[in-house]
Amino acid sequence: MIRSLVLSLLVPMAAAQAAASPEEMFCGEAMALFLPEPEGTPAPNIELTNFQYMSPDDRCGRNIQHDELMKLHARIKPVAATAFGDSQASFGVMVRYTLTPDKPATFDMQVRDAPDSETPRLTRFYNDSAALHDFHSSSGTVYVVFHYTVSPSAAATPPHEG
């Protein structure tokens, strides 16, 4: 399910790719970044399960600087922590930024299995994440995807009596 959700955000990009050069044949459709704990974890109850990027203009993703990706991650991480750190539910949130060299970044979001009680948190996260628009690729279009899995906060869960 999660894989299909990630692919649903990335598939429109793959359709725009031209025939690959010999060196690009070894590149994938999306590049994943792995961040060790706690670097990738916004809060104890939030897991960054996917951090990927891809470009229909460069299958090897050379048109985005690693520093730019890490700056975007550094800016969205506290937004996720603030919005979901005290959540009382389990759900998934996937966001996609579209970066270009000369326009503000654009933002899309998909949510999976969130109860209505999480609407205020999701709205806050959406608004604060969409405001992060000062990120760019060095050339062409680059899509950056963050997938978070949120679980109930330990502080929000009453302790079990033994």
Side-chain angles (χ1 to χ4, degrees), residues 21-124:
S21 69
E23 71 177 18
E24 289 179 324
M25 293 184 72
F26 293 103
C27 299
E29 298 207 1
M31 310 288 191
L33 293 171
F34 170 76
L35 300 176
E37 297 298 328
E39 188 179 349
T41 306
N45 66 314
I46 306 168
E47 180 183 1
L48 176 61
T49 56
N50 283 304
F51 178 10
Q52 297 181 324
Y53 67 98
M54 76 84 59
S55 173
D57 305 314
D58 180 358
R59 285 179 56 127
C60 294
R62 296 169 295 216
N63 58 348
I64 183 77
Q65 298 296 318
H66 185 264
D67 289 350
E68 190 76 353
L69 293 170
M70 296 312 294
K71 285 178 193 174
L72 179 56
H73 167 66
R75 295 277 306 277
I76 196 169
K77 182 178 174 180
V79 170
T82 299
F84 306 130
D86 62 349
S87 174
Q88 298 178 25
S90 295
F91 56 94
V93 177
M94 188 172 299
V95 299
R96 180 183 70 185
Y97 287 92
T98 303
L99 311 181
T100 60
D102 56 350
K103 298 177 194 158
T106 60
F107 175 79
D108 297 295
M109 182 173 102
Q110 291 183 0
V111 178
R112 179 183 45 85
D113 300 329
D116 291 342
S117 61
E118 294 297 307
T119 299
R121 286 183 184 85
L122 289 163
T123 300
R124 179 176 10 157

